[in-house]
Amino acid sequence: MQKALRFLVLASSSLLAGSQSFGTPISQLLPCSSQPSRCIEACGVGEFKALQQWLELSPSRPDSLLKDPVEPTALELLAFQLFKELGSSLFGVILDYVVLCQYGDSRCSVAAQHFEPLQAVRQALDQRLVAIAKDYSPETGVRSPVLRVGRNLRSDLDRFLQDVPSLEIGLKIIERSAGLLQGIGQRSRKLSQHLGMHAWVRSLALPGRGAPVLNLHDDQTWQEMLVSIVGTMVRNGPAQLTMAEIGIPLQFDWVTPSLLLEYPGIQYVGIALETDKGQPSQSPTDRMELFAQLKAQVTQSGLGDRAV
């Protein structure tokens, strides 16, 4: 997609060349929202096909990370439909502007006036977001992400409308508006991944006990978080559990062995990483030495064969 946008900028430089001769009268092309492919072919800017495909391939539901996919909620379906309609409206306005500039129409020089209808699109988006905010979803982790993405898209649109009068006629405006359309697709795709992950988290459950509830806070230390997680799993889970800690801290504040002594039913596997972004100056040799010390600490801790 990035490559297509770079080609789009190069191809659009012809927009400033003035009036050209085209086989299809401009009156038969506008508005392009009803026939975008015909406008793309008439203008000879094929890179817009990538934008059209980017729009058409926008997700219409959350990603599925589950073996047995669950049906998306009505709110999720409504949100993805809203964002796709927003992209479609913007795409039509962009194509109209490209046609005007390619045909040397005088309306190309009044970009602010051309993009003014997006104010109505922005108001409609705001009204739909208000309706979504009032809607009730029985699933946790659905409404808040949707509203956050919707408000971010509204802010993106506001910034574009504010900047249009100061942008160079033709090339710069098309480049900026195409970037806005790409941003809509990116935010929609990220929301799909986000909601898919939330659905997966909601599916987690301990046998016979239901889903665990963990209250973790930013001001908690790693030790406090670990105690909260392990304690909750032990209290609500089966008698025998296995814990894997990937990226054990190769420092002297490693608290896991003492914690495991409190819970005799846990089997433990600790994995040390070769490098640590938090300790960039630490050489692999030093890390191996620290790992050997921690391994000896586990051996002497009384955990026996429960920990490796």
Side-chain angles (χ1 to χ4, degrees):
M1 187 61 195
Q2 291 287 356
K3 183 178 180 181
L5 283 180
R6 287 198 295 272
F7 283 134
L8 172 62
V9 173
L10 295 175
S12 300
S13 60
S14 62
L15 297 175
L16 303 180
S19 178
Q20 301 181 40
S21 176
F22 294 93
T24 306
I26 190 172
S27 59
Q28 296 181 16
L29 293 176
L30 301 181
C32 290
S33 58
S34 61
Q35 46 189 0
S37 297
R38 189 178 182 186
C39 286
I40 293 172
E41 294 174 2
C43 292
V45 186
E47 288 72 26
F48 272 97
K49 291 183 179 179
L51 281 174
Q52 184 181 21
Q53 185 179 32
W54 178 254
L55 176 64
E56 292 173 349
L57 294 179
S58 293
S60 57
R61 57 186 296 161
D63 280 353
S64 178
L65 304 178
L66 300 172
K67 182 179 179 180
D68 298 316
V70 297
E71 287 299 316
T73 65
L75 191 150
E76 290 171 322
L77 295 175
L78 178 64
F80 286 111
Q81 179 184 357
L82 171 61
F83 301 151
K84 185 169 286 192
E85 290 175 359
L86 174 63
S88 180
S89 299
L90 176 61
F91 187 58
V93 175
I94 295 174
L95 280 182
D96 287 348
Y97 185 70
V98 172
V99 169
L100 293 174
C101 293
Q102 285 282 57
Y103 276 72
D105 193 285
S106 59
R107 287 171 288 180
C108 175
S109 61
V110 284
Q113 181 177 343
H114 175 79
F115 285 97
E116 189 173 346
L118 289 182
Q119 293 284 1
V121 174
R122 192 264 186 208
Q123 293 176 3
L125 172 63
D126 201 35
Q127 293 172 357
R128 299 276 288 275
L129 290 177
V130 170
I132 289 176
K134 294 179 180 179
D135 196 4
Y136 170 74
S137 175
E139 303 290 0
T140 57
V142 171
R143 188 169 57 173
S144 294
V146 166
L147 288 175
R148 181 166 56 251
V149 170
R151 289 163 181 160
N152 287 336
L153 289 175
R154 183 179 59 190
S155 298
D156 294 343
L157 187 55
D158 285 341
R159 282 193 295 271
F160 171 75
L161 293 173
Q162 291 171 3
D163 293 344
V164 164
S166 63
L167 295 174
E168 182 182 344
I169 297 300
L171 177 61
K172 291 297 183 182
I173 292 180
I174 292 175
E175 180 184 4
R176 177 68 183 278
S177 58
L180 176 61
L181 181 61
Q182 184 190 25
I184 294 174
Q186 288 175 335
R187 291 192 185 279
S188 185
R189 284 163 170 80
K190 289 181 180 179
L191 177 64
S192 178
Q193 296 169 357
H194 191 158
L195 293 177
M197 181 62 71
H198 278 200
W200 175 76
V201 170
R202 289 195 300 270
S203 73
L204 298 179
L206 298 170
R209 300 286 185 168
V213 178
L214 306 174
N215 296 314
L216 305 178
H217 308 280
D218 291 339
D219 58 348
Q220 283 183 318
T221 64
W222 171 248
Q223 178 180 358
E224 291 170 337
M225 289 186 181
L226 197 61
V227 170
S228 177
I229 293 173
V230 174
T232 300
M233 299 299 286
V234 169
R235 286 192 300 272
N236 299 288
Q240 300 295 323
L241 292 170
T242 300
M243 172 182 174
E245 186 175 13
I246 301 175
I248 61 175
L250 297 183
Q251 302 165 4
F252 293 101
D253 57 352
W254 189 35
V255 300
T256 308
S258 59
L259 177 63
L260 294 175
L261 288 173
E262 302 180 22
Y263 304 109
I266 295 182
Q267 296 286 331
Y268 173 79
V269 177
I271 301 175
L273 304 179
E274 290 185 357
T275 59
D276 184 359
K277 293 181 179 180
Q279 302 285 334
S281 61
Q282 205 172 57
S283 69
T285 302
D286 292 338
R287 292 183 64 79
M288 284 299 296
E289 292 178 355
L290 287 172
F291 177 72
Q293 296 175 18
L294 293 179
K295 190 174 181 180
Q297 180 181 338
V298 171
T299 302
Q300 302 169 5
S301 64
L303 294 173
D305 58 2
R306 287 202 295 123
V308 292

